[in-house]
Amino acid sequence: MSNFGFLNLCLVRPYDPSFREARSAVGASALLADARVFDSVAEAVADCTLVVGTTAIGRREVRHPVKRLEDGARLIRKRMGSSQVALLFGSEKFGLSNEDLSHCNWLLRIPTREEHRSMNLGQAVAVCLYELARNSRGAVVAENHHPATAGDIDRVAALLLDALHASGSLKARSATATEEKLRRLMRRHHLTAEDAKFWLGMFRQIVWKLRSAERESAES
């Protein structure tokens, strides 16, 4: 990260012994010392308007659009001119889980050969950041609209799930899968900040009406 000028490192539940040892990395001690640690991916990306996951794909079923590195890097550089962007990497052994991927707008794949898709995590990070840095000068263009942050989108999704719960439409056994599908669906619509504000107000009213009706029914 330091090699290519990316200084904002966020970690989700890092393995503490390895993390403490890594703080001695030559030339990058300040970056590691300033790294922010979060309990969940949702918290780590809450202030970002674009979240891009990385994947080798392999045999897993992918429910997101997947872009090659060179194509995805152009889109990321464009968004970087106006707002926060997160590039999400999973563990070296397991990659990103389906729950992790549900927070992503789309996925990025390094064009490795089919017979050997997986890369060392540090090397994968370096390859991606090199591609982002190599044509960054003059490539960043500010967008005219203001995209909704991941945190805004998650708040809208949480209210919609609350409405589904209140209406009795959401079954407990399918709640997790429904939540992941909903996050993916909302990210495909590229909400603006104004869209999110409107949806939040609308769903708050729906939830309030449903809860009020539920209380009145219980009292009668």
Side-chain angles (χ1 to χ4, degrees):
M1 288 180 65
S2 184
N3 285 144
F4 299 111
F6 294 89
L7 307 177
N8 187 7
L9 175 62
C10 296
L11 300 164
V12 178
R13 299 186 305 275
Y15 181 58
D16 200 48
S18 296
F19 182 41
R20 283 199 302 269
E21 182 179 344
R23 288 175 182 269
S24 64
V26 176
S29 56
L31 189 155
L32 288 166
D34 292 338
R36 293 181 291 160
V37 177
F38 296 89
D39 290 327
S40 68
V41 171
E43 293 173 325
V45 303
D47 61 347
C48 298
T49 66
L50 176 63
V51 181
V52 179
T54 53
T55 181
I57 303 178
R59 296 179 180 178
R60 76 186 302 169
E61 181 184 356
V62 175
R63 299 181 178 91
H64 291 72
V66 180
K67 304 181 189 301
R68 283 172 61 95
L69 176 58
E70 59 271 32
D71 300 322
R74 285 193 292 270
L75 298 174
I76 293 172
R77 285 195 297 266
K78 183 178 179 182
R79 182 65 67 87
M80 284 166 57
S82 59
S83 57
Q84 291 276 83
V85 176
L87 188 56
L88 194 60
F89 294 88
S91 72
E92 188 163 302
K93 188 173 183 179
F94 299 109
L96 295 169
S97 68
N98 287 336
E99 199 278 334
D100 296 333
L101 292 176
S102 72
H103 294 278
C104 299
N105 296 88
W106 42 268
L107 306 180
L108 195 66
R109 177 179 179 267
I110 298 172
T112 52
R113 69 189 184 101
E114 293 295 320
E115 295 82 1
H116 196 172
R117 288 172 171 265
S118 181
M119 289 183 69
N120 169 275
L121 179 58
Q123 293 172 347
V125 173
V127 168
C128 290
L129 298 188
Y130 166 75
E131 185 67 28
L132 286 173
R134 72 186 183 96
N135 286 321
S136 60
R137 185 172 298 175
V140 174
V141 179
E143 296 185 350
N144 293 325
H145 63 277
H146 299 286
T149 65
D152 288 337
I153 293 172
D154 283 344
R155 280 187 283 275
V156 173
L159 276 171
L160 181 51
L161 285 169
D162 198 11
L164 291 172
H165 275 293
S167 66
S169 302
L170 187 62
K171 305 301 181 185
R173 66 176 179 271
S174 61
T176 299
T178 300
E179 184 177 355
E180 292 176 2
K181 288 178 182 177
L182 183 58
R183 279 199 294 262
R184 292 194 300 268
L185 172 65
M186 296 189 69
R187 280 158 174 78
R188 288 201 296 270
H189 285 282
H190 309 295
L191 297 182
T192 66
E194 283 298 311
D195 291 336
K197 183 178 179 181
F198 173 75
W199 282 28
L200 282 168
M202 180 173 60
F203 287 132
R204 283 192 186 108
Q205 288 295 314
I206 292 173
V207 171
W208 181 80
K209 288 285 187 182
L210 288 168
R211 295 300 184 194
S212 296
E214 186 179 16
R215 285 192 297 270
E216 289 174 4
S217 176
E219 292 169 359
S220 61

